[in-house]
Amino acid sequence: MDLQIRGKRAIMAGGSAGMGRATAERLAEAGADLVISARREERLVNAAREIAQKYDAKVTPVVADSSTEDGRRALFEACPDPDILAITIKPPNPNGDFLDLTPDDWRASIDTALIGPIEIMRHYIPVMKEKGWGRIVNIATFSAKNPMLWRLMSGPARSALINYTASVSREVAQYGVNINNILPGMFATEGAAELLETYAEAFGLEPDREVVTAHFREHNRIPAGFVAEAADMAPMAALLCSPLSRFIVGQNIVIDGGQHHSLF
Ligand SMILES: NC(=O)c1ccc[n+]([C@@H]2O[C@H](COP(=O)([O-])OP(=O)(O)OC[C@H]3O[C@@H](n4cnc5c(N)ncnc54)[C@H](OP(=O)(O)O)[C@@H]3O)[C@@H](O)[C@H]2O)c1
């Protein structure tokens, strides 16, 4: 399927690893010129080089923390006029006892998982409106609609993010700017591997891969029967970034192997 994005300018904010990188790869493969950002430089630069070589694409790495004003400014300067904007960020680690969460913990979660994406969208929406076309995709989390006690630093801020996009997407669709969200379930990414120890701590387990995996399986039934790879969500992200998604507005697409059990 031709995604019809050859030559379009795309930002993948959070594009050096995991689902961000997998999305960047699909966009590069379809011929978009990419800017990818992340906080850690070495992995970012390597990812940009590898994607550029693999798909014969133009890929510019920008070291930028989406949760800070300085980081967002670096992104805006590197790519003033994208056609496509995909955003993902890493929220604070899984929490332990909810009674121990402080106002500072909540502020960190909100700065990262809510204000970061909102500020990036707020900057680029007028640019896309002016052009009469744009695509925005947030890669958030299924815990936005599937609350989890150990993911209070991720889910509530993302519930607010999808509330925001539900309203804003319906305002900007008339200008050809479509905003949608992907809500991933459990994916075996670099980011998930980094959480092994904090997950173990949150549940009082040994920080051992086998122990954590067994606990995880027992408490998270995934009807599809497996934990996904980042590449399992990237085709949907790429579709939402393309002109082919022109009638898809303000949706939250759960990709979780059926784990979240609901009608909508
Ligand atoms: N993996 C799962 O099972 C799972 C489940 C539910 C939801 N999610 C959500 O899905 C999203 C993607 O997760 P993932 O597992 O693919 O993560 P990942 O493997 O850690 O990849 C995240 C990417 O975003 C970058 N990034 C993170 N925070 C950033 C920030 N503040 N500013 C700029 N770049 C940033 C990372 O690079 P740097 O770290 O160098 O910045 C990396 O390139 C996250 O929002 C996560 O909460 C994941």
Side-chain angles (χ1 to χ4, degrees):
M1 182 164 65
D2 177 7
L3 288 176
Q4 302 169 13
I5 57 170
R6 185 158 297 282
K8 288 201 183 290
R9 277 185 290 280
I11 293 176
M12 180 64 243
S16 66
M19 291 180 253
R21 172 165 175 162
T23 300
E25 294 213 22
R26 293 286 73 78
L27 297 176
E29 181 183 51
D33 291 343
L34 275 178
V35 167
I36 63 171
S37 65
R39 296 163 300 177
R40 286 171 277 184
E41 183 167 16
E42 189 180 348
R43 184 170 70 172
L44 173 71
V45 170
N46 289 339
R49 193 190 54 247
E50 287 163 15
I51 297 169
Q53 281 171 358
K54 191 168 172 188
Y55 300 104
D56 194 18
K58 189 174 163 206
V59 187
T60 306
V62 179
V63 177
D65 183 340
S66 300
S67 69
T68 68
E69 274 181 40
D70 284 351
R72 293 190 287 271
R73 197 173 308 117
L75 189 62
F76 302 156
E77 282 168 10
C79 187
D81 58 346
D83 305 294
I84 294 165
L85 169 65
I87 309 170
T88 193
I89 51 81
K90 188 171 189 170
N93 284 341
N95 51 284
D97 189 333
F98 72 94
L99 291 175
D100 293 338
L101 289 171
T102 65
D104 282 345
D105 292 327
W106 284 106
R107 282 185 203 104
S109 169
I110 288 166
D111 272 347
T112 310
L114 180 62
I115 296 177
I118 284 180
E119 282 297 285
I120 298 174
M121 288 188 278
R122 193 166 72 91
H123 180 83
Y124 284 124
I125 283 170
V127 175
M128 292 177 171
K129 264 176 74 173
E130 181 71 24
K131 287 201 250 195
W133 195 87
R135 292 289 181 269
I136 299 177
V137 177
N138 288 288
I139 303 170
T141 174
F142 83 143
S143 60
K145 57 186 281 189
N146 183 49
M148 293 172 154
L149 191 58
W150 59 286
R151 237 19 209 129
L152 290 173
M153 292 289 92
S154 174
R158 263 77 172 273
S159 298
L161 179 67
I162 69 174
N163 186 309
Y164 174 89
T165 56
S167 293
V168 172
S169 61
R170 283 154 177 105
E171 162 59 22
V172 300
Q174 63 187 304
Y175 305 105
V177 180
N178 289 15
I179 308 176
N180 292 287
N181 305 311
I182 291 183
L183 308 183
M186 301 304 169
F187 284 71
T189 59
E190 291 92 325
E194 286 169 359
L195 291 184
L196 186 98
E197 276 190 23
T198 44
Y199 181 92
E201 205 179 309
F203 288 97
L205 306 168
E206 269 177 67
D208 172 87
R209 177 169 292 278
E210 296 297 313
V211 174
V212 169
T213 307
H215 181 276
F216 189 82
R217 285 226 177 87
E218 193 185 332
H219 293 270
N220 297 279
R221 199 182 79 80
I222 302 175
F226 61 94
V227 171
E229 303 293 328
D232 290 313
M233 63 69 66
M236 178 59 77
L239 177 73
L240 294 176
C241 289
S242 81
L244 304 181
S245 64
R246 66 184 185 147
F247 209 48
I248 307 177
V249 172
Q251 298 303 302
N252 298 302
I253 300 183
V254 177
I255 303 182
D256 69 347
Q259 185 177 345
H260 174 67
H261 192 129
S262 76
L263 284 177
F264 306 107

